[in-house]
Amino acid sequence: MEQFDRISIQEISKTDMLMIIKALEYTGENANIPSFISLKNSIVKQLSELAETTEEEFLLYLQKK
């Protein structure tokens, strides 16, 4: 198996990315796992910076069909 340190997300749909973000948030809150919330926040922050928008605007963008 080839080893890698980073994974590209360019092929993940908006719907799938929103589902991942919501799953991390739900699991973090309901299972009391702070690292899940931290990971969710990190993903949202990095993607919003790439999109050159706020985190709130980016999440709204993911929710639009």
Side-chain angles (χ1 to χ4, degrees), residues 25-48:
E25 182 175 38
Y26 178 86
T27 304
E29 290 175 355
N30 291 289
N32 196 25
I33 305 173
S35 60
F36 278 52
I37 298 294
S38 178
L39 177 57
K40 179 223 105 173
N41 291 339
S42 176
I43 289 170
V44 171
K45 180 179 179 184
Q46 289 179 34
L47 291 174
S48 65

Side-chain angles (χ1 to χ4, degrees), residues 5-20:
D5 292 329
R6 296 188 175 260
I7 299 172
S8 173
I9 60 165
Q10 68 189 42
E11 297 300 321
I12 296 177
S13 70
K14 285 175 30 177
T15 304
D16 290 345
M17 181 55 65
L18 182 60
M19 188 179 346
I20 291 167

